[in-house]
Amino acid sequence: MRDFRFPLNQTQKVRLQAALQELQDLSPKINSSATVTVADTIRVNQEDGVLKGHGTSELNGKVVATLCGVVERVNKLVYVRALRARYKPEIGDIIVGRVIEIAPKRWRLEINFSQDAVLMLSSMNLPGGIQRRRTAGDELNMRSIFEENDVICLEKGQLLTVPPYLVKRRKQHFHHLEQYGVDLIIGCNGFIWVGEHSEPMENDMLEDQESNKSNKKVTILEEQEQTHTPVETRQNICRIANAVRILSALGFNLSIEKVIDTAETSSNIDIKDMLGAEFCVQVAEREVQRRSTLTTKKG
C-alpha cells in the first residue's frame, strides 16, 4: 500500500481501511510464521540441533533476529525473510530480464538486482536450433537475436515490475492461461511478463567456454506465424496485467490463483475501470472473504 495512488472518496476510504484491518487481524490465524523485529527472540528447540540461517544470530544461548521480517523454517534451518528486501538471486530462480547492453560474446541484462546479469552467446540457441561453436560472424549478428530493450525470449506482451517480496518461490513460475490465450511468467526478481501464448521449444546447447564445458538448456519461444496479435488477446493481456497491478498496489502476494481470480472478478467491467478505486476496494473485500473462509475451515 506504500505506492497506493487511487483517488478514494470517504466511503471507499472507510471500506478499504476496514478491509485492510480485517486482513491484518486474520494474518496471524492463517500464517504460522512469526513476524519479528531486530533483537526479538525466535522460539526454537535447541535439542533438535537447529541451524541458524540468514537474519538470525545467537545471543546468551538464544536465537535472536538480526532484521525485521518473517521467521521461516525449512527442516532444521531457521532464517528470517525480510518483507521489503531487494531481490537476491538464488540457484534455480525463474527470472525475466531486459537487455541493456550488447558486449563482446554476451548480453548484459537488467534483472532488478544490484548487479546486472550476463547471458553468453555460447549459451544461446541459434536460429533453427543449430548446435555448433560460435564464430566471429555469430558475434556480429548478435543484434538479430536480441537487441537493447528486448525482454529475453519474449515478445507481444507487457513487462510489469512489482516489489520482489510479493513473489514467493514456487515449483511453477511459467503459466499458460488457456482461457485467455495468454502466457504469464511471474519472475522471482519482481519482473512479471504477460504476453501472447507461444509454444516453448527446448534444445540442449553446448557451452563453448574453454575453462568450463558443460551442457546447458536455454528455453526460447517459437515465433508466431502471424505478424499481429488479435484484439481479443490484447484485451486479455491488459486484463491480466491490470490484475497484477491491483494486487501489487494492495500489497498482496502474487500467485497464479489470485491473478486469475482478480481477472475473473473484473469480467463484468471495462478493463480501464480495473484501475479505479471501487474495484480496488472490491478486491480487498474479496480477499477478506477468502481468508475468513479459510480460517473457518481450519478452525
Side-chain angles (χ1 to χ4, degrees), residues 2 12 25 48 83 120 135 142 155 157 199 209 289:
R2 179 177 56 182
Q12 291 169 338
D25 295 339
D48 293 338
L83 294 178
M120 301 298 297
T135 64
M142 286 175 61
E155 59 179 7
E199 292 297 332
Q209 297 180 4
Q289 295 177 356

Side-chain angles (χ1 to χ4, degrees), residues 8 38 63 91 142 168 171 187 194 203 221 234 286 296:
L8 301 168
V38 177
V63 179
I91 295 175
M142 286 175 61
K168 290 187 176 181
K171 292 182 178 179
V194 186
N203 290 291
L221 296 180
R234 282 183 285 173
R286 187 178 179 85
T296 302

Side-chain angles (χ1 to χ4, degrees), residues 87 94-97 110-113 162-164 167 187-192:
Y87 169 68
I94 301 297
I95 63 174
V96 176
E110 178 192 359
I111 59 170
N112 202 24
F113 181 50
V162 304
V167 180
C188 295
N189 59 337
F191 283 0
I192 312 295

Side-chain angles (χ1 to χ4, degrees), residues 68-231:
C68 301
V70 177
V71 178
E72 300 283 358
R73 290 176 169 84
V74 180
N75 297 327
K76 293 185 178 183
L77 175 65
V78 177
Y79 65 96
V80 178
R81 174 174 56 84
L83 294 178
R84 293 183 179 272
R86 292 196 59 156
Y87 169 68
K88 182 179 180 181
E90 294 185 10
I91 295 175
D93 280 1
I94 301 297
I95 63 174
V96 176
R98 182 186 290 277
V99 177
I100 58 176
E101 182 184 355
I102 299 178
K105 297 183 179 180
R106 61 179 60 85
W107 292 268
R108 194 156 62 90
L109 313 177
E110 178 192 359
I111 59 170
N112 202 24
F113 181 50
S114 57
Q115 298 179 355
D116 298 326
V118 172
L119 175 63
M120 301 298 297
L121 173 62
S122 58
S123 299
M124 189 59 210
N125 284 37
L126 295 177
I130 302 174
Q131 300 186 24
R132 57 173 173 77
R133 298 186 68 88
R134 308 300 180 264
T135 64
D138 295 325
E139 186 175 350
L140 292 174
N141 293 324
M142 286 175 61
R143 290 183 184 275
S144 65
I145 303 176
F146 294 126
E147 58 185 16
E148 289 85 352
N149 295 323
D150 279 358
V151 179
I152 286 300
C153 301
L154 303 171
E155 59 179 7
K156 301 180 181 178
Q158 296 185 27
L159 177 65
L160 310 175
T161 303
V162 304
Y165 60 82
L166 296 181
V167 180
K168 290 187 176 181
R169 291 178 171 87
R170 301 174 182 270
K171 292 182 178 179
Q172 183 67 24
H173 286 263
F174 288 81
H175 304 282
H176 174 208
L177 310 184
E178 295 184 8
Q179 64 272 41
Y180 296 103
V182 168
D183 284 334
L184 174 64
I185 302 179
I186 305 178
C188 295
N189 59 337
F191 283 0
I192 312 295
W193 174 260
V194 186
E196 183 179 6
H197 174 64
S198 297
E199 292 297 332
M201 177 178 58
E202 291 189 354
N203 290 291
D204 287 342
M205 297 300 299
L206 183 63
E207 188 179 14
D208 295 328
Q209 297 180 4
E210 296 179 358
S211 60
N212 180 22
K213 294 185 178 180
S214 59
N215 289 328
K216 289 188 176 182
K217 281 189 177 181
V218 177
T219 302
I220 64 173
L221 296 180
E222 189 175 355
E223 294 184 358
Q224 300 286 339
E225 293 182 359
Q226 58 193 35
T227 58
H228 69 282
T229 303
V231 174

